[in-house]
């Protein structure tokens, strides 16, 4: 039985990866941070199948202990301060977790078991102000946020430990991936959650920032399979994982309303742009400049050719299916919330 240690296990990707590895017969260890309230987050439903270890990416001693307890064959480093907007408010914490934290865990591997294979959660955010379209493994980086800059350090130190010490380290340069377990601060889940609340009459309208921003959106369940495949190869390498399609935030919102049976039409421009319900004439989407970022990544679209050819990876969930799943799940969750509130 293979053993895997996952940092960030209770996050979106950690949960889908845990399910995948458990299905494959792995013994799964996961790192949690100590909080005042015990919270297993996205792995609550499978918590009895996981060995939890309390540790923190900023504390190398705790990571060495975790490696000693788990003795893993594979480490997946998914832990991060992962919300780009927060990285301007907490630039130092972001760097300590997302940049130096990577050195911490690589050092822990070097000390405890240098044969252990390592996956680093790199990101398309490193392409930032894009230097080529589409972006692939050879596209130069130009990060646009403290998060992107910190992740770039994590990316290079992962490569450096491979070249310096011969560790089996891989970076997955993953484009945006979403799903029913996505945090509600990210734009896709914010949209599907608010669409559900509008549909059920709890909220009037949705407020967004830059609706022109374009992203290459896939589903997390497909992307964690690529992480695992990277660690099963004969040689360590870095791979872009993406769909090759790009859509604006406006397109995402339109599709989400569609899936809830609401037709929305956009008009106006800049901060005056609105989205109107074609049937009722009600304004359902407005722009709020508080969601603008100090520097924006305008457009991302990845080329997954290398991952498809070398790993045999292929996504299975289309954009349409993903939005449909997210909207349907949020409608169910909001209905549950309403039932619970009515019983109080
Ligand atoms: P997520 O849902 O925000 O999960 C992040 C995880 O990191 C949480 O479990 C969080 O634990 C943990 N964490 C944060 N700070 C930590 C610390 N100091 N020590 C230990 N754990 C810590 O993120 P995700 O969407 O699953 O993404 C997984 C990874 O992929 C991240 O590294 C992200 O930057 C990267 N990535 C994501 C995407 C995407 O589109 N989703 C794309 C490219 C790369 P708490 O619950 O305690 O906060
Ligand atoms: N969050 C948010 N909220 N974003 C908005 C909003 C809003 O109300 N309105 C417009 N946007 C725009 C943002 O300005 C950005 O251009 C885009 O929507 C996507 O924002 P997020 O969903 O927050 O994701 P992200 O692209 O910044 O970062 C995600 O993807 C990266 C990979 O490219 C995160 O998952 C990162 O951790 C990941 O590395």
């Amino acid at each position: 039985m293979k053993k895997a240690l996952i940092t960030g296990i209770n996050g979106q990707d950690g949960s889908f990866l845990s399910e995948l590895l458990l299905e494959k017969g792995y013994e799964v260890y996961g790192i949690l941070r100590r909080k005042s309230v015990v919270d297993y987050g996205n792995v609550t439903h499978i918590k009895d199948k996981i060995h939890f270890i309390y540790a923190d990416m900023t504390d190398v001693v705790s990571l060495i202990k975790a490696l000693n307890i788990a003795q893993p064959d594979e480490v997946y480093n998914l832990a991060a301060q992962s919300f780009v907007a927060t990285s301007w408010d907490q630039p130092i914490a972001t760097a300590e977790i997302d940049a130096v934290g990577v050195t911490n865990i690589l050092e822990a591997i070097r000390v405890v078991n240098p044969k252990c294979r390592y996956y680093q959660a790199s990101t398309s955010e490193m392409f930032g102000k894009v230097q080529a379209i589409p972006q692939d493994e050879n596209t130069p980086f130009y990060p646009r946020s403290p998060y992107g800059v910190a992740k770039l350090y994590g990316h290079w130190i992962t490569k450096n430990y491979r070249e310096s010490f011969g560790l089996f380290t891989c970076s997955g340069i993953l484009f945006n991936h979403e799903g029913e377990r996505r945090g509600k601060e990210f734009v896709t889940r914010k949209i599907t959650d608010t669409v559900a609340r509008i549909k059920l009459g709890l909220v009037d309208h949705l407020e967004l920032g830059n609706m022109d921003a374009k992203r290459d959106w896939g589903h997390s369940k497909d992307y964690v399979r690529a992480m695992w495949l990277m660690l099963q190869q004969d040689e360590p390498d870095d791979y872009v994982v993406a769909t090759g399609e790009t859509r604006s935030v406006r397109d995402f919102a339109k599709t989400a309303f569609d899936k809830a049976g609401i037709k929305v039409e956009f008009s106006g421009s800049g901060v005056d742009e609105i989205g109107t319900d074609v049937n009722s004439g009600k304004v359902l989407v407005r722009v709020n400049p508080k969601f603008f970022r100090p520097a924006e990544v305008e457009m991302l679209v990845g080329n997954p050719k290398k991952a498809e050819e070398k790993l045999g990876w292929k996504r299975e969930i289309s954009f349409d299916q993903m939005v449909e799943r997210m909207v349907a799940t949020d409608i169910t969750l909001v209905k549950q919330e309403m039932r619970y509130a009515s019983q109080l």
Side-chain angles (χ1 to χ4, degrees):
M1 189 190 264
K2 269 197 192 176
K3 293 202 273 183
L5 175 66
I6 304 175
T7 74
I9 193 156
N10 56 332
Q12 172 185 253
D13 291 2
S15 70
F16 284 114
L17 181 65
S18 300
E19 286 173 357
L20 178 80
L21 297 181
L22 287 168
E23 262 167 45
K24 291 189 180 297
Y26 278 68
E27 195 170 339
V28 175
Y29 290 76
I31 283 178
L32 284 182
R33 288 196 282 185
R34 192 264 159 190
K35 287 183 196 154
S36 58
V37 177
V38 178
D39 179 9
Y40 298 100
N42 284 313
V43 285
T44 304
H45 63 298
I46 47 171
K47 71 174 173 27
D48 297 337
K49 298 180 181 157
I50 295 169
H51 307 277
F52 293 102
I53 303 169
Y54 282 94
D56 195 295
M57 293 308 294
T58 60
D59 181 346
V60 68
V61 174
S62 72
L63 296 174
I64 291 172
K65 269 191 179 168
L67 263 292
N68 265 319
I69 293 168
Q71 294 292 331
D73 302 287
E74 297 169 8
V75 169
Y76 295 86
N77 180 30
L78 310 184
Q81 189 304 94
S82 72
F83 188 40
V84 172
T86 291
S87 75
W88 279 282
D89 299 327
Q90 300 176 16
I92 310 292
T94 303
E96 282 170 351
I97 301 165
D98 299 8
V100 181
V102 183
T103 310
N104 285 339
I105 193 148
L106 288 168
E107 275 299 318
I109 288 173
R110 222 159 68 82
V111 170
V112 178
N113 177 12
K115 293 222 172 337
C116 168
R117 296 185 171 204
Y118 176 80
Y119 173 83
Q120 169 60 20
S122 286
T123 163
S124 50
E125 186 71 14
M126 301 186 307
F127 294 122
K129 189 171 178 181
V130 299
Q131 304 294 296
I133 295 172
Q135 297 87 53
D136 64 19
E137 293 78 4
N138 299 314
T139 304
F141 299 117
Y142 193 137
R144 293 274 280 169
S145 61
Y147 168 81
V149 174
K151 278 286 184 177
L152 192 51
Y153 173 97
H155 182 74
W156 279 109
I157 202 74
T158 299
K159 216 180 178 72
N160 181 264
Y161 270 51
R162 178 162 83 216
E163 292 171 2
S164 305
F165 304 118
L167 297 191
F168 193 109
T169 63
C170 300
S171 275
I173 307 174
L174 269 52
F175 282 62
N176 296 50
H177 44 281
E178 316 294 318
E180 313 78 86
R181 301 175 190 166
R182 186 61 143 152
K184 287 185 187 169
E185 66 277 39
F186 298 95
V187 78
T188 56
R189 185 76 196 287
K190 175 179 171 180
I191 292 171
T192 59
D193 175 64
T194 312
V195 164
R197 285 169 201 280
I198 291 172
K199 175 81 181 167
L200 296 169
L202 296 183
V203 164
D204 274 356
H205 71 281
L206 165 69
E207 286 188 353
L208 292 171
N210 177 11
M211 284 197 267
D212 290 321
K214 288 185 163 171
R215 291 291 182 276
D216 178 329
W217 279 299
H219 196 289
S220 171
K221 193 168 194 283
D222 279 337
Y223 285 40
V224 300
R225 212 171 50 249
M227 299 176 186
W228 175 77
L229 281 167
M230 284 178 217
L231 298 199
Q232 312 314 309
Q233 304 307 303
D234 292 338
E235 297 297 330
D237 205 345
D238 305 327
Y239 298 87
V240 158
V241 180
T243 70
E245 297 166 7
T246 191
R247 291 177 178 81
S248 68
V249 170
R250 186 182 302 101
D251 290 338
F252 192 103
K254 221 171 160 177
T255 310
F257 276 110
D258 251 14
K259 300 292 177 196
I262 305 170
K263 278 249 155 314
V264 169
E265 194 173 70
F266 286 87
S267 59
S269 63
V271 291
D272 296 323
E273 181 169 357
I274 51 171
T276 312
D277 183 335
V278 171
N279 288 322
S280 68
K282 275 194 198 156
V283 176
L284 297 185
V285 186
R286 291 186 191 281
V287 174
N288 186 337
K290 96 171 176 200
F291 299 112
F292 291 164
R293 294 179 177 178
E296 179 60 288
V297 172
E298 296 294 347
M299 194 273 195
L300 292 173
V301 58
N303 178 358
K305 194 162 177 256
K306 180 174 170 186
E308 289 177 352
E309 288 182 359
K310 292 205 165 167
L311 302 177
W313 176 81
K314 200 132 201 77
R315 74 157 163 161
E316 288 170 2
I317 303 169
S318 70
F319 176 79
D320 234 49
Q321 288 166 334
M322 177 180 78
V323 183
E324 192 166 311
R325 269 168 84 143
M326 291 176 72
V327 171
T329 304
D330 277 325
I331 289 177
T332 306
L333 289 175
V334 174
K335 279 184 181 163
Q336 275 169 11
E337 212 179 288
M338 288 165 77
R339 265 199 301 277
Y340 177 70
S342 72
Q343 285 160 8
L344 291 178

